[in-house]
Amino acid sequence: MSISGSNDDLELCRTWNLPLETKNGWARLVFDHDVLVPAWIESETPAISWDRLRVLGFFEIGSTNEEASLKARQGAPEGLLVYSESQTSGRGRKGRHWSSPAGTGLYFSLLLRPENSLNRWPLLTHVASVSLAQVLNELSAERWIPQPLAVDLKWPNDVLLSEKKTAGILLETVQQEQHAAAAVLGVGINVKSGSLSDELKETATSVSAEAGVSIARRRLLVRYLYHFQIGYELFKRGQYQRILDQWKAHSSMWDGVPVWLHDGDQRRLVVTCGLSDMGALKVRAPDGTEETVLAADVSVRHSR
Ligand code: BTN
C-alpha cells in the first residue's frame, strides 16, 4: 500500500507507529506481518462465514466490545471486526479491566448475528477459545519456533500457555427491542513480551515470550479468523457436541482435576467431572454431590 503526498496520511502513519520507507520524496508503508492495517486484514482473511470481512481499526479506543455493540445497534452486518492498537477501558469478565497497551497485543471484537437459540450462544466462547488453541498448536509445530507452546484451555474461556493466562474472551449480547439482536465476541491476546506489567507476569504470559521469538500480530489475527470461521460454521449447523469435544481435547482440567471455585472472598475445593451440554463446568464436592457451575472463577489446585 502506498501513501502519496498527503501530510495527514503521513501523520496518521507516524501516530500509528507504522513502518515507513521514504525515497525521492515518496513515503511507502513497509509490508510487515505485524502491522495492523484494515485493508490488509480484509484481503488476507478468507471469507468462509461472511461474504466479506469488514474491518474497523482504531489507534486508541475505550473498548472494542463497546464500539462493536454500538455498530450492532446501528445495524452493522455480521462479520464486522473492530480492533484497536490500544484500549483505555478494555473490559474483562466480571467487570475486570483488561490491560491493553499499544503495539503489544491483539484487542478485537467480532460482530455476530447467530440464528441459533439464545441459550446456545455461550458456546461461542468455546468456539473462540478452541480456535485460538488450534492456531497456537499450529504455530508451535512450525520449524522456526524455538520453543514449543504448551497450550491449555481453562474453563470458562481462558487460553493458557505453560499454565499462565495468554488470552481471554468476553462474549456480550446486544439487546434490541427486547430481544438479543447480536453477539459481540471480544478477544484479547498478549502477543509481545512487553504486553505485561510486572504484576501480571506472575500469572500471565505472552505468545512471543513462550515461543522464544517475536510473533507477528496480523499473521496471528488472520489465522485466528480463519479457524474461528470454521468453528462458527459448526456452531451455525448446531454441531454443539463436536464443539464441546474439541474444547475438551484442548483442556487438561475438565475431568478429575481438583480446582478451587472462587466466589467473592470465598473459595471451596471441588473436583471437575465434565461439561454440560451448554458448556458449563460440572464439579463434585467432597461430600459427593454434583453441581453445574455456570459462572465462576476457577483455579487449578496444584499439589506442588
Ligand atoms: C477476560 O479474560 O476477562 C476477558 C478479556 C477480554 C478482553 C478483550 S480485548 C478486546 C475486547 N474488548 C474489550 O473491552 N474486551 C475484549
Side-chain angles (χ1 to χ4, degrees), residues 99 101 193-204:
S99 164
S193 312
S195 53
L196 301 166
S197 62
D198 285 346
E199 188 195 338
L200 280 175
K201 277 182 191 149
E202 291 283 305
T203 53

Side-chain angles (χ1 to χ4, degrees), residues 34-260:
D34 190 60
V35 170
L36 301 177
V37 175
W40 293 357
I41 300 168
E42 284 175 1
S43 67
E44 291 168 12
T45 304
I48 300 168
S49 298
W50 315 292
D51 52 344
R52 77 179 183 88
L53 182 76
R54 288 162 185 83
V55 180
L56 254 185
F58 292 83
F59 181 69
E60 186 180 275
I61 200 172
S63 152
T64 57
N65 264 34
E66 182 87 50
E67 182 67 21
S69 302
L70 184 75
K71 294 288 173 214
R73 277 186 227 102
Q74 292 169 349
E78 168 160 287
L80 173 76
L81 176 85
V82 178
Y83 78 84
S84 185
E85 284 282 343
S86 64
Q87 297 182 115
T88 50
S89 330
R91 300 207 286 244
R93 280 179 67 238
K94 300 190 159 209
R96 293 189 192 112
H97 173 71
W98 185 261
S99 164
S100 319
T104 62
L106 281 169
Y107 320 113
F108 60 91
S109 304
L110 261 175
L111 168 55
L112 305 169
R113 294 190 180 275
E115 288 174 5
N116 309 53
S117 118
L118 188 60
N119 65 355
R120 297 290 185 170
W121 289 20
L123 286 174
L124 285 168
T125 60
H126 296 69
V127 173
S129 50
V130 164
S131 310
L132 188 55
Q134 289 168 335
V135 173
L136 295 173
N137 280 323
E138 208 175 84
L139 189 67
S140 182
E142 286 181 18
R143 271 200 251 147
W144 58 277
I145 298 284
Q147 294 161 199
L149 300 171
V151 186
D152 200 358
L153 297 181
K154 181 163 86 69
W155 189 89
N157 53 19
D158 290 350
V159 181
L160 312 184
L161 288 178
S162 304
E163 298 177 6
K164 288 184 168 185
K165 183 157 174 168
T166 310
I169 289 148
L170 180 68
L171 179 75
E172 295 180 307
T173 51
V174 180
Q175 295 284 333
Q176 256 176 326
E177 289 152 19
Q178 328 270 295
H179 72 279
V184 169
L185 186 79
V187 182
I189 310 174
N190 304 326
V191 184
K192 308 280 179 182
S193 312
S195 53
L196 301 166
S197 62
D198 285 346
E199 188 195 338
L200 280 175
K201 277 182 191 149
E202 291 283 305
T203 53
T205 188
S206 67
V207 186
S208 300
E210 295 302 312
V213 65
S214 183
I215 300 296
R217 290 174 308 155
R218 196 177 73 259
R219 191 168 4 212
L220 193 68
L221 174 62
V222 166
R223 280 195 195 190
Y224 179 78
L225 292 170
Y226 167 71
H227 280 278
F228 177 79
Q229 288 180 82
I230 293 176
Y232 188 46
E233 287 303 298
L234 291 180
F235 178 79
K236 287 200 291 188
R237 290 201 297 270
Q239 296 194 11
Y240 307 124
Q241 195 49 53
R242 182 114 176 254
I243 294 168
L244 291 168
D245 288 345
Q246 286 183 341
W247 192 93
K248 288 177 187 171
H250 285 99
S251 173
S252 66
M253 57 84 67
W254 62 276
D255 194 21
V257 174
V259 296
W260 293 106

